[in-house]
Coordinates of all heavy atoms in Angstrom, one line a residue:
M640 N 12.4 -130.9 -6.5 CA 13.7 -131.6 -6.6 C 14.8 -130.7 -7.0 O 15.9 -130.8 -6.5 CB 13.5 -132.8 -7.5 CG 14.7 -133.7 -7.6 SD 14.5 -134.9 -6.3 CE 15.5 -136.2 -7.0
K641 N 14.5 -129.8 -8.0 CA 15.5 -128.9 -8.5 C 15.9 -127.9 -7.5 O 17.0 -127.5 -7.4 CB 15.1 -128.3 -9.8 CG 16.1 -127.6 -10.6 CD 15.6 -127.1 -11.9 CE 16.8 -126.6 -12.7 NZ 16.3 -126.2 -14.1
Y642 N 14.9 -127.5 -6.7 CA 15.2 -126.5 -5.6 C 16.1 -127.0 -4.6 O 16.9 -126.3 -4.0 CB 13.9 -126.0 -5.0 CG 13.0 -125.2 -6.0 CD1 11.7 -125.7 -6.4 CD2 13.4 -124.0 -6.5 CE1 11.0 -125.0 -7.3 CE2 12.7 -123.3 -7.4 CZ 11.4 -123.8 -7.8 OH 10.7 -123.1 -8.7
N643 N 16.0 -128.3 -4.3 CA 16.8 -128.9 -3.3 C 18.3 -128.9 -3.7 O 19.2 -128.6 -2.9 CB 16.4 -130.4 -3.0 CG 15.1 -130.5 -2.3 OD1 14.7 -129.5 -1.6 ND2 14.5 -131.6 -2.4
K644 N 18.6 -129.1 -5.0 CA 19.9 -129.0 -5.5 C 20.5 -127.6 -5.4 O 21.6 -127.4 -5.1 CB 20.0 -129.6 -6.9 CG 19.8 -131.1 -6.9 CD 20.2 -131.7 -8.2 CE 19.9 -133.2 -8.1 NZ 20.8 -134.0 -8.8
I645 N 19.6 -126.6 -5.7 CA 20.1 -125.2 -5.7 C 20.4 -124.8 -4.2 O 21.4 -124.2 -3.9 CB 19.0 -124.3 -6.3 CG1 18.9 -124.6 -7.8 CG2 19.3 -122.9 -6.0 CD1 17.7 -123.9 -8.4
I646 N 19.5 -125.2 -3.3 CA 19.7 -124.9 -1.9 C 21.0 -125.7 -1.4 O 21.7 -125.1 -0.6 CB 18.5 -125.3 -1.1 CG1 17.3 -124.4 -1.4 CG2 18.7 -125.2 0.4 CD1 16.0 -124.8 -0.8
G647 N 21.2 -126.9 -1.8 CA 22.4 -127.6 -1.5 C 23.7 -126.9 -1.9 O 24.6 -126.9 -1.2
V648 N 23.7 -126.4 -3.1 CA 24.8 -125.7 -3.6 C 25.0 -124.4 -2.8 O 26.2 -124.0 -2.4 CB 24.7 -125.4 -5.1 CG1 25.7 -124.4 -5.6 CG2 24.7 -126.7 -5.9
I649 N 23.9 -123.7 -2.5 CA 24.0 -122.5 -1.7 C 24.6 -122.7 -0.3 O 25.4 -122.0 0.2 CB 22.7 -121.8 -1.7 CG1 22.3 -121.2 -3.0 CG2 22.6 -120.7 -0.6 CD1 20.9 -120.7 -3.1
F650 N 24.1 -123.8 0.3 CA 24.6 -124.2 1.6 C 26.1 -124.5 1.6 O 26.9 -124.1 2.5 CB 23.9 -125.4 2.2 CG 22.6 -125.1 2.8 CD1 21.8 -126.1 3.3 CD2 22.1 -123.8 3.0 CE1 20.6 -125.8 3.9 CE2 20.9 -123.5 3.6 CZ 20.1 -124.5 4.1
S651 N 26.5 -125.2 0.5 CA 27.9 -125.6 0.4 C 28.8 -124.4 0.2 O 29.9 -124.2 0.9 CB 28.1 -126.6 -0.7 OG 27.4 -127.7 -0.5
I652 N 28.4 -123.5 -0.6 CA 29.2 -122.2 -0.9 C 29.2 -121.4 0.4 O 30.3 -120.9 0.8 CB 28.6 -121.5 -2.1 CG1 28.8 -122.2 -3.4 CG2 29.2 -120.1 -2.2 CD1 28.1 -121.7 -4.5
F653 N 28.1 -121.3 1.1 CA 28.0 -120.5 2.3 C 28.9 -121.1 3.4 O 29.6 -120.3 4.1 CB 26.6 -120.4 2.8 CG 26.4 -119.6 4.0 CD1 26.6 -118.2 4.0 CD2 26.2 -120.2 5.3 CE1 26.4 -117.4 5.1 CE2 26.1 -119.4 6.4 CZ 26.2 -118.0 6.3
S654 N 29.0 -122.4 3.5 CA 29.8 -123.0 4.5 C 31.3 -122.8 4.2 O 32.1 -122.6 5.1 CB 29.5 -124.5 4.7 OG 29.9 -125.2 3.6
I655 N 31.7 -122.9 2.9 CA 33.1 -122.7 2.5 C 33.5 -121.3 2.8 O 34.6 -121.0 3.3 CB 33.3 -123.1 1.1 CG1 33.1 -124.6 0.9 CG2 34.6 -122.7 0.6 CD1 33.1 -125.1 -0.5
V656 N 32.7 -120.3 2.4 CA 33.0 -118.9 2.7 C 33.1 -118.6 4.2 O 34.0 -117.9 4.7 CB 32.0 -118.0 2.0 CG1 32.1 -116.6 2.5 CG2 32.1 -118.1 0.5
Y657 N 32.1 -119.2 4.9 CA 32.1 -119.0 6.4 C 33.3 -119.6 7.1 O 33.9 -119.0 8.0 CB 30.8 -119.6 6.9 CG 30.4 -119.2 8.3 CD1 30.2 -117.9 8.7 CD2 30.2 -120.2 9.3 CE1 29.8 -117.6 9.9 CE2 29.8 -119.9 10.5 CZ 29.6 -118.6 10.9 OH 29.3 -118.2 12.1
S658 N 33.7 -120.8 6.7 CA 34.9 -121.4 7.3 C 36.2 -120.7 6.9 O 37.1 -120.6 7.7 CB 35.0 -122.9 6.9 OG 35.1 -123.0 5.6
T659 N 36.3 -120.2 5.7 CA 37.5 -119.5 5.3 C 37.6 -118.2 6.0 O 38.7 -117.7 6.4 CB 37.6 -119.3 3.8 OG1 36.5 -118.7 3.3 CG2 37.9 -120.6 3.1
N660 N 36.5 -117.5 6.2 CA 36.5 -116.3 7.0 C 36.9 -116.5 8.4 O 37.7 -115.7 9.0 CB 35.1 -115.7 6.9 CG 35.0 -114.3 7.6 OD1 36.1 -113.6 7.7 ND2 33.9 -113.9 8.0
F661 N 36.5 -117.6 9.0 CA 36.9 -117.9 10.3 C 38.4 -118.2 10.4 O 39.1 -117.8 11.3 CB 36.1 -119.1 10.9 CG 36.6 -119.6 12.2 CD1 36.4 -118.9 13.4 CD2 37.4 -120.8 12.3 CE1 36.9 -119.3 14.6 CE2 37.9 -121.2 13.5 CZ 37.7 -120.5 14.6
I662 N 38.9 -119.0 9.4 CA 40.3 -119.4 9.5 C 41.2 -118.1 9.3 O 42.2 -118.0 10.0 CB 40.6 -120.4 8.4 CG1 39.9 -121.7 8.8 CG2 42.1 -120.6 8.2 CD1 40.0 -122.8 7.7
V663 N 40.8 -117.2 8.5 CA 41.6 -116.0 8.3 C 41.6 -115.1 9.5 O 42.6 -114.5 9.9 CB 41.1 -115.2 7.0 CG1 41.7 -113.8 6.9 CG2 41.3 -116.0 5.8
N664 N 40.5 -115.0 10.2 CA 40.3 -114.1 11.3 C 40.6 -114.7 12.7 O 40.4 -114.1 13.7 CB 39.0 -113.5 11.3 CG 38.8 -112.6 10.1 OD1 39.7 -112.0 9.6 ND2 37.5 -112.5 9.6
S665 N 41.0 -116.0 12.8 CA 41.1 -116.6 14.1 C 42.5 -116.4 14.6 O 43.5 -116.2 13.9 CB 40.9 -118.1 13.9 OG 41.9 -118.7 13.1
K666 N 42.6 -116.5 15.9 CA 43.8 -116.3 16.7 C 44.0 -117.6 17.4 O 43.3 -118.0 18.3 CB 43.8 -115.2 17.7 CG 43.6 -113.9 17.1 CD 43.7 -112.8 18.2 CE 42.8 -111.7 17.9 NZ 42.7 -110.7 18.9
L667 N 45.0 -118.4 17.0 CA 45.3 -119.6 17.7 C 46.4 -119.4 18.8 O 47.4 -118.7 18.5 CB 45.8 -120.7 16.7 CG 44.8 -121.1 15.7 CD1 45.5 -122.1 14.7 CD2 43.6 -121.8 16.3
T668 N 46.2 -119.9 19.9 CA 47.2 -119.8 21.0 C 47.9 -121.1 21.2 O 47.3 -122.2 20.9 CB 46.5 -119.4 22.3 OG1 45.6 -120.4 22.7 CG2 45.8 -118.0 22.2
Y669 N 49.1 -121.0 21.7 CA 49.9 -122.2 21.9 C 50.0 -122.5 23.4 O 50.9 -123.2 23.8 CB 51.2 -122.1 21.3 CG 51.1 -121.9 19.8 CD1 51.3 -120.7 19.1 CD2 50.7 -123.0 19.0 CE1 51.2 -120.6 17.8 CE2 50.5 -122.9 17.6 CZ 50.8 -121.7 17.0 OH 50.6 -121.5 15.7
N670 N 49.2 -121.9 24.2 CA 49.2 -122.0 25.7 C 48.3 -123.2 26.0 O 47.2 -123.3 25.6 CB 48.6 -120.8 26.3 CG 49.4 -120.3 27.5 OD1 50.3 -121.0 27.9 ND2 49.1 -119.2 28.0
L671 N 48.9 -124.2 26.8 CA 48.1 -125.4 27.1 C 46.9 -125.0 28.0 O 45.9 -125.7 27.9 CB 49.0 -126.4 27.7 CG 48.4 -127.8 28.0 CD1 47.9 -128.4 26.7 CD2 49.4 -128.6 28.7
E672 N 47.0 -124.1 28.9 CA 46.0 -123.7 29.8 C 44.7 -123.2 29.1 O 43.6 -123.3 29.5 CB 46.4 -122.7 30.9 CG 47.5 -123.3 31.8 CD 48.9 -123.1 31.3 OE1 49.1 -122.3 30.4 OE2 49.7 -124.0 31.7
S673 N 45.0 -122.5 28.0 CA 43.9 -121.9 27.3 C 43.0 -122.9 26.5 O 41.9 -122.6 26.1 CB 44.4 -120.8 26.3 OG 45.1 -121.4 25.3
Y674 N 43.6 -124.1 26.3 CA 42.8 -125.1 25.6 C 41.6 -125.6 26.4 O 40.6 -126.1 25.8 CB 43.7 -126.3 25.2 CG 44.7 -126.1 24.2 CD1 45.9 -126.9 24.1 CD2 44.6 -125.1 23.3 CE1 46.8 -126.7 23.2 CE2 45.5 -124.9 22.3 CZ 46.7 -125.7 22.3 OH 47.6 -125.5 21.3
F675 N 41.6 -125.4 27.7 CA 40.6 -125.9 28.5 C 39.6 -124.7 28.9 O 38.7 -124.9 29.7 CB 41.1 -126.6 29.8 CG 42.0 -127.8 29.4 CD1 43.3 -127.7 29.5 CD2 41.4 -128.9 28.9 CE1 44.1 -128.8 29.2 CE2 42.2 -130.0 28.6 CZ 43.5 -129.9 28.7
D676 N 39.8 -123.6 28.4 CA 39.0 -122.4 28.7 C 37.7 -122.5 27.8 O 37.8 -122.8 26.6 CB 39.8 -121.1 28.4 CG 39.1 -119.9 28.9 OD1 38.3 -120.0 29.9 OD2 39.4 -118.8 28.4
F677 N 36.6 -122.2 28.5 CA 35.3 -122.3 27.8 C 35.2 -121.3 26.6 O 34.7 -121.7 25.5 CB 34.2 -122.1 28.8 CG 32.8 -122.3 28.1 CD1 32.4 -123.5 27.8 CD2 32.0 -121.2 27.9 CE1 31.1 -123.7 27.2 CE2 30.8 -121.3 27.3 CZ 30.3 -122.6 27.0
E678 N 35.7 -120.1 26.8 CA 35.6 -119.1 25.8 C 36.4 -119.4 24.6 O 36.0 -119.2 23.4 CB 36.0 -117.7 26.3 CG 35.0 -117.1 27.2 CD 35.1 -117.6 28.6 OE1 36.2 -118.1 29.0 OE2 34.1 -117.5 29.4
Y679 N 37.6 -120.1 24.8 CA 38.4 -120.5 23.7 C 37.8 -121.6 22.9 O 37.8 -121.6 21.7 CB 39.8 -120.9 24.3 CG 40.8 -121.3 23.2 CD1 41.4 -120.4 22.4 CD2 41.1 -122.6 23.0 CE1 42.2 -120.7 21.4 CE2 42.0 -123.0 22.0 CZ 42.6 -122.0 21.2 OH 43.4 -122.4 20.2
L680 N 37.2 -122.5 23.6 CA 36.5 -123.6 22.9 C 35.3 -123.2 22.1 O 35.0 -123.6 21.0 CB 36.1 -124.7 23.9 CG 37.3 -125.5 24.5 CD1 36.8 -126.5 25.6 CD2 38.1 -126.2 23.5
M681 N 34.6 -122.2 22.7 CA 33.4 -121.7 22.0 C 33.8 -120.8 20.8 O 32.9 -120.6 20.0 CB 32.5 -120.9 23.0 CG 31.8 -121.7 24.0 SD 30.8 -123.1 23.2 CE 29.6 -122.1 22.4
S682 N 35.0 -120.4 20.7 CA 35.4 -119.6 19.6 C 35.5 -120.5 18.3 O 35.5 -119.9 17.2 CB 36.7 -118.9 19.8 OG 37.8 -119.9 19.9
F683 N 35.5 -121.8 18.5 CA 35.5 -122.7 17.3 C 34.1 -123.2 16.9 O 34.0 -124.0 16.1 CB 36.4 -123.9 17.6 CG 37.9 -123.6 17.7 CD1 38.5 -123.4 18.9 CD2 38.6 -123.4 16.5 CE1 39.8 -123.1 19.0 CE2 39.9 -123.1 16.6 CZ 40.5 -122.9 17.8
S684 N 33.1 -122.6 17.5 CA 31.7 -123.0 17.0 C 31.4 -122.6 15.6 O 30.7 -123.3 15.0 CB 30.7 -122.3 18.0 OG 30.8 -121.0 17.9
P685 N 32.0 -121.5 15.0 CA 31.7 -121.3 13.6 C 32.2 -122.5 12.7 O 31.7 -122.8 11.6 CB 32.5 -120.0 13.2 CG 32.6 -119.3 14.5 CD 32.7 -120.4 15.6
V686 N 33.3 -123.1 13.1 CA 33.8 -124.3 12.3 C 32.8 -125.4 12.4 O 32.5 -126.1 11.3 CB 35.2 -124.8 12.8 CG1 35.6 -126.0 12.1 CG2 36.2 -123.7 12.7
V687 N 32.2 -125.7 13.5 CA 31.2 -126.7 13.7 C 30.0 -126.4 12.8 O 29.4 -127.3 12.1 CB 30.8 -126.9 15.1 CG1 29.7 -127.9 15.3 CG2 32.0 -127.3 15.9
I688 N 29.5 -125.2 12.8 CA 28.4 -124.8 12.0 C 28.7 -124.9 10.6 O 27.8 -125.4 9.8 CB 28.0 -123.3 12.4 CG1 27.4 -123.3 13.8 CG2 26.9 -122.8 11.4 CD1 27.2 -121.9 14.4
S689 N 29.9 -124.5 10.1 CA 30.2 -124.6 8.7 C 30.3 -126.1 8.3 O 29.9 -126.4 7.1 CB 31.4 -123.9 8.4 OG 32.6 -124.5 9.0
I690 N 30.8 -127.0 9.1 CA 30.8 -128.4 8.8 C 29.4 -129.0 8.7 O 29.2 -129.7 7.7 CB 31.7 -129.1 9.8 CG1 33.2 -128.8 9.7 CG2 31.5 -130.6 9.7 CD1 34.0 -129.3 10.8
I691 N 28.5 -128.6 9.6 CA 27.2 -129.1 9.5 C 26.5 -128.6 8.2 O 25.8 -129.3 7.6 CB 26.4 -128.6 10.8 CG1 26.9 -129.4 12.0 CG2 24.9 -128.9 10.6 CD1 26.3 -128.9 13.3
L692 N 26.7 -127.3 7.9 CA 26.1 -126.8 6.7 C 26.7 -127.4 5.4 O 26.0 -127.7 4.4 CB 26.4 -125.3 6.6 CG 25.4 -124.4 7.3 CD1 25.8 -122.9 7.2 CD2 24.0 -124.6 6.9
L693 N 28.0 -127.7 5.4 CA 28.6 -128.4 4.3 C 28.0 -129.8 4.1 O 27.7 -130.2 3.0 CB 30.1 -128.5 4.5 CG 30.9 -129.1 3.3 CD1 30.7 -128.2 2.0 CD2 32.3 -129.2 3.7
I694 N 27.9 -130.5 5.2 CA 27.3 -131.9 5.1 C 25.8 -131.8 4.7 O 25.4 -132.6 3.8 CB 27.4 -132.6 6.5 CG1 28.9 -132.9 6.8 CG2 26.6 -133.9 6.5 CD1 29.1 -133.4 8.2
A695 N 25.1 -130.8 5.2 CA 23.7 -130.7 4.8 C 23.6 -130.3 3.3 O 22.7 -130.8 2.6 CB 23.0 -129.6 5.6
G696 N 24.5 -129.5 2.8 CA 24.5 -129.1 1.4 C 24.8 -130.2 0.5 O 24.2 -130.4 -0.6
I697 N 25.8 -131.0 0.9 CA 26.2 -132.2 0.1 C 25.0 -133.2 0.1 O 24.7 -133.8 -1.0 CB 27.5 -132.8 0.6 CG1 28.6 -131.9 0.3 CG2 27.7 -134.2 0.0 CD1 29.9 -132.3 1.0
R698 N 24.4 -133.4 1.2 CA 23.3 -134.4 1.3 C 22.1 -133.9 0.4 O 21.4 -134.7 -0.2 CB 22.8 -134.6 2.7 CG 23.8 -135.3 3.6 CD 24.0 -136.7 3.3 NE 22.8 -137.4 3.7 CZ 22.6 -138.7 3.6 NH1 23.5 -139.4 3.1 NH2 21.5 -139.3 4.0
L699 N 21.8 -132.6 0.5 CA 20.8 -132.1 -0.4 C 21.0 -132.2 -1.8 O 20.1 -132.4 -2.6 CB 20.5 -130.6 0.0 CG 19.5 -130.3 1.1 CD1 19.5 -128.8 1.5 CD2 18.1 -130.8 0.8
F700 N 22.3 -132.0 -2.2 CA 22.7 -132.1 -3.6 C 22.7 -133.5 -4.1 O 22.2 -133.8 -5.2 CB 24.0 -131.5 -3.9 CG 24.4 -131.3 -5.3 CD1 23.8 -130.3 -6.1 CD2 25.2 -132.2 -5.9 CE1 24.1 -130.2 -7.4 CE2 25.6 -132.1 -7.3 CZ 25.0 -131.1 -8.0
V701 N 23.2 -134.4 -3.3 CA 23.3 -135.8 -3.8 C 22.0 -136.6 -3.6 O 21.6 -137.3 -4.5 CB 24.5 -136.5 -3.0 CG1 24.6 -138.0 -3.3 CG2 25.8 -135.8 -3.3
N702 N 21.5 -136.6 -2.4 CA 20.3 -137.4 -2.1 C 19.3 -136.6 -1.3 O 19.3 -136.7 -0.1 CB 20.8 -138.7 -1.3 CG 19.7 -139.7 -1.3 OD1 18.6 -139.5 -1.8 ND2 20.0 -140.8 -0.7
P703 N 18.5 -135.8 -2.0 CA 17.6 -135.0 -1.2 C 16.5 -135.7 -0.4 O 15.9 -135.1 0.5 CB 16.9 -134.1 -2.3 CG 17.2 -134.7 -3.6 CD 18.4 -135.7 -3.4
A704 N 16.2 -136.9 -0.7 CA 15.2 -137.6 0.1 C 15.7 -137.9 1.5 O 14.8 -138.0 2.4 CB 14.8 -138.9 -0.7
K705 N 17.0 -138.1 1.7 CA 17.5 -138.4 3.0 C 18.0 -137.2 3.8 O 18.5 -137.3 4.9 CB 18.6 -139.5 2.9 CG 18.1 -140.7 2.3 CD 18.6 -141.9 3.0 CE 18.0 -143.1 2.4 NZ 18.2 -144.3 3.1
A706 N 18.0 -136.0 3.2 CA 18.5 -134.8 3.8 C 17.4 -134.2 4.7 O 16.2 -134.3 4.4 CB 19.0 -133.8 2.8
N707 N 17.8 -133.6 5.8 CA 16.9 -132.9 6.7 C 17.1 -131.4 6.5 O 18.0 -130.8 7.1 CB 17.2 -133.3 8.1 CG 16.2 -132.9 9.1 OD1 15.3 -132.1 8.7 ND2 16.3 -133.4 10.3
L708 N 16.3 -130.8 5.7 CA 16.4 -129.4 5.3 C 16.0 -128.5 6.6 O 16.7 -127.5 6.8 CB 15.5 -129.1 4.2 CG 15.5 -127.6 3.7 CD1 16.9 -127.3 3.2 CD2 14.5 -127.5 2.6
A709 N 15.1 -129.0 7.4 CA 14.7 -128.2 8.5 C 15.8 -128.1 9.5 O 16.0 -127.0 10.1 CB 13.5 -128.8 9.2
L710 N 16.6 -129.1 9.7 CA 17.7 -129.1 10.6 C 18.8 -128.2 10.1 O 19.4 -127.4 10.9 CB 18.3 -130.5 10.8 CG 19.5 -130.6 11.8 CD1 19.1 -130.1 13.2 CD2 20.0 -132.0 11.8
A711 N 19.1 -128.2 8.8 CA 20.1 -127.3 8.2 C 19.7 -125.8 8.3 O 20.5 -125.0 8.6 CB 20.3 -127.7 6.8
L712 N 18.4 -125.6 8.1 CA 17.9 -124.2 8.3 C 18.0 -123.7 9.7 O 18.2 -122.6 10.0 CB 16.5 -124.1 7.8 CG 16.3 -124.2 6.2 CD1 14.9 -124.2 5.9 CD2 17.1 -123.0 5.6
L713 N 17.8 -124.6 10.7 CA 17.9 -124.3 12.1 C 19.3 -123.9 12.5 O 19.5 -123.1 13.3 CB 17.4 -125.5 12.9 CG 17.3 -125.3 14.4 CD1 16.3 -124.2 14.7 CD2 17.0 -126.5 15.1
V714 N 20.3 -124.6 11.8 CA 21.7 -124.2 12.1 C 22.0 -122.8 11.7 O 22.7 -122.1 12.4 CB 22.6 -125.3 11.4 CG1 24.0 -124.8 11.5 CG2 22.5 -126.6 12.0
I715 N 21.4 -122.4 10.6 CA 21.7 -121.0 10.2 C 21.1 -120.0 11.1 O 21.8 -119.0 11.4 CB 21.1 -120.8 8.7 CG1 21.9 -121.6 7.7 CG2 21.2 -119.3 8.3 CD1 21.3 -121.6 6.4
L716 N 20.0 -120.3 11.7 CA 19.3 -119.3 12.6 C 20.0 -119.4 13.9 O 20.2 -118.5 14.6 CB 17.9 -119.6 12.7 CG 17.0 -119.6 11.4 CD1 15.6 -120.0 11.7 CD2 17.1 -118.2 10.8

């Protein structure tokens, strides 16, 4: 039970660092045509991964019985 809270804190810290690194290094375009480009949309996948890790970390810290640790570990890999 204590390990779940430690892993939850680690996931949360990792997701915050990962998302801030993405925000600092991202290039946003204001071209409407580029919004529908597949490569441009896939460049935002780190944000999705960091949100999933943040949710998994919070769930592990608050209620470890309902958290899916295997799914959160799969996201990292």
